[in-house]
Amino acid sequence: MASKNDSSIVCQACGANNASVTASGRCIACGARMDSPRIVRNSDFDRQRRYQQEGFSVLWCAIALVLQSVLTAALIGGLPMIVQQLDFEGSNGMTVSIPVWFIGGVLLGMISPGKTFLEPVVASFIVAIPTVFYLLQSQTVRTMPLFMYVIMALIGVLFTLIGAYLGERIQMGPPAKRAD
């Protein structure tokens, strides 16, 4: 085994030991450049990460919770008090909740900085729990079993995720053109 000199440089490409940097600045074994290692940004990697959320913001989750709560309470509880012909009891209330949560997800996706997909989903899941129990207790004519309320609430949470993604896409604009 040969001992390595302190001035020898190992090639990043082939692993060959080179005496200090040659005049050409290339490896004597494979011819690769012997520059200092640098980070190479891959445009495909950047394109794939474009739609990835990197963290969870408690502040935006709280804002989403307030927004989803206000929207749900206004449409499910408040609107029938103002317009007597509307009756969002039982199954009709859950049917109206799904688009309300979708719209809330779109709004939050559009106004929040960065990528926030999870915050509106967590908020609508938290809002869905009391909504299900409120609508279950208020049903008289249009009745559904509890598991149907749970399924419809989960569908609403899924639509919130779709809405948040759509809002983020609107906020980010079209993706950059690929330079071939």
Side-chain angles (χ1 to χ4, degrees), residues 134-154:
Y134 171 74
L135 292 172
L136 186 64
Q137 296 301 320
S138 69
Q139 67 182 357
T140 56
V141 177
R142 296 176 188 90
T143 60
M144 282 192 325
L146 176 63
F147 77 92
M148 286 300 296
Y149 280 106
V150 171
I151 290 172
M152 289 183 78
L154 291 176

Side-chain angles (χ1 to χ4, degrees), residues 70-179:
V70 168
L71 285 175
T72 303
L75 248 53
I76 304 302
L79 195 59
M81 290 181 188
I82 296 171
V83 180
Q84 303 298 326
Q85 289 80 12
L86 296 176
D87 185 17
F88 295 138
E89 74 167 34
S91 61
N92 287 350
M94 278 313 294
T95 305
V96 170
S97 295
I98 293 171
V100 167
W101 295 334
F102 173 79
I103 291 169
V106 171
L107 289 174
L108 285 161
M110 287 173 49
I111 65 173
S112 64
K115 297 171 191 88
T116 53
F117 301 113
L118 294 178
E119 289 83 350
V121 172
V122 170
S124 36
F125 182 76
I126 293 171
V127 169
I129 294 168
T131 303
V132 163
F133 288 115
Y134 171 74
L135 292 172
L136 186 64
Q137 296 301 320
S138 69
Q139 67 182 357
T140 56
V141 177
R142 296 176 188 90
T143 60
M144 282 192 325
L146 176 63
F147 77 92
M148 286 300 296
Y149 280 106
V150 171
I151 290 172
M152 289 183 78
L154 291 176
I155 290 171
V157 170
L158 175 68
F159 271 87
T160 304
L161 177 63
I162 294 168
Y165 177 75
L166 182 65
E168 289 294 333
R169 289 291 302 257
I170 292 169
Q171 178 191 36
M172 287 189 295
K177 299 291 183 198
R178 186 174 188 174

Side-chain angles (χ1 to χ4, degrees), residues 45-52 115 169 172-176:
F45 180 72
D46 289 340
R47 212 173 294 113
Q48 289 172 356
R49 290 190 46 97
R50 175 178 166 89
Y51 304 111
Q52 298 297 317
K115 297 171 191 88
R169 289 291 302 257
M172 287 189 295

